[in-house]
Structures are given as structure tokens and as C-alpha cells.
Amino acid sequence: MQILLDDIPCNDALYPFGATRSIAHLRIGILSIYEKWQLAFPGKVTIVSEGNLKPGSAEQVFEIPANLLPSANLFDQLRKSTSTLLMRECPVMQHPWDIFQHNRQSIVEDFSLLTKGKTSAPISRGNGIVCPENIFVEPGAKISFSTLNASEGPIYIGKNAEILEGSLVRGPFALCEGGILKMGTKVYGATTIGKYCIAGGEIKNSVLMDYSNKAHDGYLGDSVIGGWCNLGAGTSNSNLKNTAGMIKVWNNETREFLEAGTKCGLFMGDYSRCAINTSFNTGTVVGVCCNIFRNAFPPKHVEDFTWGSESYIFEKALRDIANWKKLKGHDISQDEIESLKKLYSLKKKS
């Protein structure tokens, strides 16, 4: 059996997060969509845009929309090779705000998948723990003089992650491998902090993809931050209009603003950054590789490769990305350069 995740029809709908990666690699819950499938069917999963399906395979192939969030029940159906899959129960991400709206259930389901039959590492004395049966700590993680309340949902602390003194955490919550909560961080569920992220201040119902920083005071709510992003000290976003009215968000596929509900914060694409004390309005979309600095609110839609109020020179953008990656011991790859070059060319043509 082979699982084929079809991502091509839906990458643009989830802009800016489908611009630089397959949406199958988006983290929602504890795992990325691809990781969920790989955990259930190791070595049997292929992403259409990556084009590595074995030609002429005699195995049965199930084609699944990559923006579908799989359930344990769907996995069971596939193991039984059910000819007609009942996928109606599985949520489908059609807009970027679906990521934080479905994050709660995704954390719950991933927690069950990852911890089944395993024993949590011990939590050191001096921490305040509520509902310890809903908390799982991977080896190498450190938690110092903090409060973990899992009464509203599970809490997962990944391998070598660290929660520093005075942090207050309510589940559902996931701190992935190597992630750090700085001293005094306040986290409300449902929140996911990706691998090797640094988080601080106040965070609620948000997802940070891998290697991003929201390391200082400021509020982040009902938001999704891409990979390799940095929010300057004091940065905050609005997630509720003063009128409590409907929030509209830019949709790159239809080239118009769509209604996203009454709670919606910031969407920031990969490799983007903002200066200290930046304030983002409700439903702001920041594209890929932007450097935000200005006295007023940034516009509700900041185009890819924006530097202040100007266009980012491509070579300068690559240099700055490389500098940021070095801070975490990484180099920009040739694949990343080629992907960004294609995106930059599209911007120049538009």
C-alpha cells in the first residue's frame, strides 16, 4: 500500500505557508501532516509535489488531499484496505486560519499517537502540576519551577526542550524538540511551539513553525508564524476588532479579502521578521521573506520580499536569511535558494 498526499491544488489557498514548502510539511498539533502519516505508515507516504512515487508500483495507492487532517479512524480504515474511505469526519484546511482553529484537536490526537505505550520522563520537584496523567515529557527535557495545567488538554514536552523558571502553561500545548520557553512565559491552549523555537511573553491559540522566535514580551494570539521568523521585542498582534465584528483576511488564490471569523490574528510567512514594538492589526498576512519596520501599523497584506516599504533586493534577502540561520547553527541550502528564486521571479512578474 502507498499513500499519495496530493498537495498541488491547495498550496496557494494556504498562503503564505504553501509558498515555500508543501502544506504536507505544515506543523499542526505536535506533528506535521506528513509526520502524522509517516508515523502511521512508515515508508509508505509520498507527496505529489516532491514527485518520488515509485513508478509502476503494484501496490494499492490511496490518493489523499494533503490538506486533510487524518484521524485514528481513517488510519484504521486504510490498514484494513477499505475501498471506500470515510473521510468526512476529517477536517480539511482550506484557509490559513484553519491551522489554529484545528490545533486543539490535532494536539489531542497527536498526543495519543506519540505517547501510546510509553512512559513519560519524570518532572522535577518544584513544579506545579495539574492532571499529571495528561502530561508527557520526552528524554532530555528540562522544566524549572513552572506551572503545567493539563486539565483542559494534554501537554507534550519534546526531546531536549526547556521550560525556564516562572512559566505558566495551560494545555493543550506542545513544545517540540529543542524548543525553549523563556522565564515567565504565559501560554494558553491550544498552542504549538515548533522545533528549536524560542518563545516568551504571552501566547494563546497559536502555532510557531520550526526555528522561529517570539522570545520577548508582547502578545501573540490566534496566529500562525512560519519557519525561521523573528518577532522583535514588544511585538503584539490584535486578534479581535474593537467592534467585535467580522475579520477579513487576504486570500492569495482569489486575490481578495475573505471573512475569517471574529477571532483572527497574524499570519507570517517563512523567513520574515519584524522590528521591536511592531503592532499588527487583526487578520494581517505577512508574505515570505519580509523585513517589517515602520511607525504605523503594517498593511493588512504585506507582499513577499518587502523591506520596510520597499522591495527586498534578492541578494540582500538571501544574505540576511543566511545570517539568521547561522544564529541557530544552520546554513541556507541550495534547495531553499532555488525555491526563493522562483518565488521572487513570480513577484517581479506580477
Side-chain angles (χ1 to χ4, degrees):
M1 179 179 64
Q2 290 284 323
I3 307 296
L4 187 62
L5 299 181
D6 188 5
D7 57 333
I8 292 175
C10 40
N11 279 340
D12 203 33
L14 287 164
Y15 174 86
F17 307 110
T20 51
R21 69 178 88 199
S22 166
I23 61 165
H25 293 304
L26 293 181
R27 188 174 301 282
I28 176 170
I30 303 172
L31 303 165
S32 71
I33 296 172
Y34 177 73
E35 287 170 340
K36 299 176 201 293
W37 284 102
Q38 274 288 85
L39 188 64
F41 302 99
K44 299 290 187 180
V45 186
T46 300
I47 300 171
V48 168
S49 66
E50 296 178 359
N52 56 355
L53 181 67
K54 296 176 183 178
S57 174
E59 294 183 276
Q60 185 177 12
V61 176
F62 289 95
E63 188 169 322
I64 308 288
N67 57 337
L68 179 141
L69 294 178
S71 66
N73 185 41
L74 179 59
F75 290 152
D76 288 341
Q77 291 179 55
L78 286 164
R79 292 188 184 100
K80 296 173 184 176
S81 296
T82 303
S83 57
T84 303
L85 298 177
L86 299 177
M87 295 188 289
R88 292 189 299 274
E89 67 178 40
C90 299
V92 177
M93 296 191 300
Q94 298 175 314
H95 306 289
W97 51 87
D98 291 331
I99 297 172
F100 68 72
Q101 289 180 351
H102 292 300
N103 200 44
R104 175 177 292 272
Q105 185 59 32
S106 292
I107 291 175
V108 171
E109 293 189 0
D110 288 352
F111 185 88
S112 179
L113 284 172
L114 286 169
T115 64
K116 186 176 182 180
K118 297 180 181 179
T119 301
S120 171
I123 300 174
S124 60
R125 292 183 177 182
N127 292 291
I129 304 299
V130 180
C131 294
E133 67 276 13
N134 290 337
I135 300 173
F136 192 92
V137 180
E138 295 283 6
K142 300 176 183 178
I143 306 169
S144 301
F145 300 101
S146 295
T147 298
L148 306 183
N149 184 343
S151 62
E152 298 296 320
I155 294 175
Y156 176 87
I157 310 301
K159 180 181 178 182
N160 298 327
E162 186 169 9
I163 299 178
L164 300 181
E165 298 89 329
S167 293
L168 304 173
V169 177
R170 292 182 67 92
F173 173 68
L175 180 63
C176 298
E177 179 180 347
I180 296 174
L181 291 190
K182 295 183 74 176
M183 290 192 296
T185 302
K186 295 176 286 187
V187 181
Y188 299 84
T191 290
T192 296
I193 307 298
K195 292 181 179 180
Y196 301 100
C197 290
I198 302 175
E202 183 178 0
I203 306 173
K204 172 248 180 187
N205 194 34
S206 295
V207 176
L208 275 72
M209 303 297 170
D210 300 347
Y211 296 100
S212 286
N213 300 330
K214 184 234 174 284
H216 304 286
D217 286 343
Y219 177 71
L220 184 72
D222 300 290
S223 297
V224 183
I225 305 300
W228 296 103
C229 294
N230 189 74
L231 305 184
T235 293
S236 290
N237 75 271
S238 169
N239 63 337
L240 178 67
K241 296 178 74 170
N242 285 344
T243 61
M246 185 63 65
I247 297 167
K248 292 188 176 183
V249 177
W250 174 255
N251 181 275
N252 211 51
E253 188 174 38
T254 62
R255 311 301 292 178
E256 62 182 343
F257 287 88
L258 303 181
E259 293 184 346
T262 57
K263 283 287 189 79
C264 191
L266 168 66
F267 303 103
M268 178 177 281
D270 293 349
Y271 312 109
S272 288
R273 304 170 294 280
C274 65
I276 61 170
N277 297 322
T278 301
S279 295
F280 290 100
N281 222 323
T282 52
T284 295
V285 176
V286 175
V288 173
C289 197
C290 296
N291 193 350
I292 307 295
F293 55 92
R294 56 176 63 218
N295 294 325
F297 278 102
K300 289 264 289 184
H301 172 220
V302 181
E303 294 185 353
D304 299 334
F305 295 96
T306 294
W307 189 85
S309 56
E310 304 174 4
S311 292
Y312 222 145
I313 297 171
F314 185 68
E315 290 72 22
K316 178 178 172 60
L318 291 184
R319 183 201 66 192
D320 293 345
I321 292 171
N323 289 341
W324 276 99
K325 297 198 78 168
K326 284 178 183 177
L327 293 177
K328 297 203 178 192
H330 287 257
D331 295 314
I332 187 170
S333 69
Q334 190 59 42
D335 285 344
E336 287 176 296
I337 293 172
E338 292 302 318
S339 174
L340 290 168
K341 189 179 294 183
K342 289 179 183 177
L343 193 62
Y344 189 80
S345 297
L346 290 174
K347 173 182 168 64
K348 299 299 286 185
K349 290 177 182 177
S350 63

